[in-house]
């Protein structure tokens, strides 16, 4: 796919590969030298470097949310070597299922802007709509609403 | 253009019309019943309803920043009735040109997700990359770094 | 009382005078040249200058919260010309009574540090315990959880 | 000292003991079952449980700031079993000495409210004046202004 930009199908396939957690399948869509920028200023925020860094990030998301995260993709936009996907994400802090607190339950609309090279993602940056970055910071905070600290 | 989605050229033209401030030109690209969601929880955050609401928002941006805002568009992505444009924005709080404070100077990378209908934008939502939503809140805050209040 | 610091009784009396809203009574405890620093970066944050500025702030608190604010004083500490009072504050955004949202309901533990001169408060600064400054910003935000803007 | 509240001298002595890092000296002023609440929602925020938890917190402050933190005490207030101390704190993120960025340099006015029992602190809670909680979150964030992640 050298020289070609991503298609909607390839974007979908990249995320599906990611969900399998199978590194060799993931590496078909996500470049070894990729980087990923998580919005906010919480424990997961900032640039994750390399495919291993990205997988480390994804693993922490799974662990901190007890595997509860559900991303529902709503749109994929394209242009040249870029794609943007919009999704509605819902999840709970591990052990806090059903809590209505913004420190325990996350519900946000996000957009990821990806840059591709030879069929693989080389850079991704996420951003949250509305005041979702504030609630993102609360959700990933190492404190809960009552100030009790949780493991990072 | 009924039934057709936006093109890159039309997205550019929509923003250029907006910059003229000429309501009749603006209305060729932005629908009367449009709405626009500004990220964060500051004085400009939230949904602005209608073209007049949107123009009110734009007017406040200009006034609060002393007309200093510069948006440099870096990419436009498309899909059906949607577009997403990425831009690098720099501006100063009115009267604070040259200040390095995050309460006075804004430099962010943003993405706007637009939905179009018959050649006009009917909905737009912005989101900021990195920790830009925090600095967005600081920049649009009615306080400066030293706690001095400014007019809303 | 020139030359003497505040007593616990005088601190209590100052807040009680404030609650009456009777400017002449208020002025017995709060100096005309007083200033007051509200924590956070929301619409009420920052320094309010002069007794009239302070009363303007208090009026906005009442209006934005539909008069729902309840401050329960828990302790008053003293030293020379300073006092510090700790209180537990609960209130709702006007029109949002009973909503559990952090954008509608505020419950915080705060401390106010006051400096006195001749029996009157000349400076006050508030600060919020825990992550209460984040929820303070959400509560006083001109947006609600769903992004709907409210009057400032 | 059973039954007596703290004095200004004892408050000072407690902080001086803390600075020595000598656990047995620290334990003369800070109870084994103490707890301490750090404001904000960053990696150090929330309740630290027990003297060991508190010392863990203090150790992380030192490590993350490269030992640069300077607290200048400005006032100590008293009442019964409580004390409140006000201080002006300045520090740099480890390795970022001299940077003007709010993500690298902290300058805040804080107040600590302590509860004492038999001459020892059993509970402490800190709060930051102005918009210092926002800058506190930025300073202790695991990201820097450019999004580069730092060790927690």
């Amino acid at each position: 796919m050298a020289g070609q930009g991503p298609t909607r199908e390839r974007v979908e396939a990249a995320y599906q590969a990611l969900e399998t957690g199978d590194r060799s399948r993931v590496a078909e869509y996500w470049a070894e030298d990729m980087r990923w920028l998580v919005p906010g200023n919480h424990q997961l925020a900032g640039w994750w470097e390399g495919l291993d860094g990205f997988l480390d990030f994804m693993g922490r998301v799974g662990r901190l949310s007890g595997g509860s995260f559900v991303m529902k993709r709503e749109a994929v936009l394209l242009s040249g070597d870029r794609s943007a996907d919009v999704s509605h994400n819902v999840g709970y802090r591990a052990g806090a299922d059903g809590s209505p607190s913004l420190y325990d339950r996350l519900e946000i609309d996000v957009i990821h802007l990806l840059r591709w090279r030879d069929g693989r993602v080389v850079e991704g940056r996420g951003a949250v709509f509305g005041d979702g970055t504030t609630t993102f910071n609360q959700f990933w905070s190492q404190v809960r609403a009552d100030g009790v600290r949780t493991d990072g």
Side-chain angles (χ1 to χ4, degrees), chain A:
Chain A
M1 292 187 60
Q4 293 189 331
T7 59
R8 180 192 179 89
E9 291 68 33
R10 191 145 186 94
V11 174
E12 291 286 352
Y15 281 104
Q16 284 168 18
L18 194 59
E19 283 174 25
T20 66
D22 176 344
R23 197 185 190 290
S24 62
R25 278 197 56 191
V26 172
E28 291 175 33
Y29 300 92
W30 305 82
E32 289 292 338
D33 61 344
M34 70 166 288
R35 53 203 312 252
W36 185 266
L37 179 60
V38 178
N41 59 27
H42 50 81
Q43 65 181 306
L44 299 181
W47 282 108
W48 295 83
E49 301 288 342
L51 179 55
D52 287 331
F54 182 53
L55 293 174
D56 179 6
F57 160 66
M58 293 299 291
R60 295 196 202 192
V61 166
R63 201 160 56 247
L64 292 168
S65 65
S68 67
F69 242 82
V70 177
M71 296 173 60
K72 193 178 147 203
R73 205 137 31 254
E74 298 182 340
V76 174
L77 297 87
L78 303 166
S79 174
D81 65 350
R82 304 214 187 189
S83 66
D85 59 273
V86 182
S87 81
H88 184 74
N89 293 3
V90 179
Y92 285 97
R93 196 184 277 248
D97 284 38
S99 166
S101 167
L102 289 174
Y103 290 82
D104 291 331
R105 181 180 190 277
L106 183 69
E107 179 167 3
I108 49 171
D109 290 298
V110 303
I111 186 164
H112 305 109
L113 177 66
L114 310 184
R115 196 157 53 77
W116 297 68
R117 184 193 63 212
D118 302 339
R120 289 184 174 84
V121 179
V122 287
E123 185 179 289
R125 292 184 284 165
V128 191
F129 293 110
D131 197 26
T133 303
T134 296
T135 61
F136 208 48
N137 284 334
Q138 290 171 308
F139 182 75
W140 294 120
S141 172
Q142 285 111 317
V143 289
R144 295 179 63 163
D146 56 7
V148 172
R149 287 178 56 80
T150 59
D151 288 336

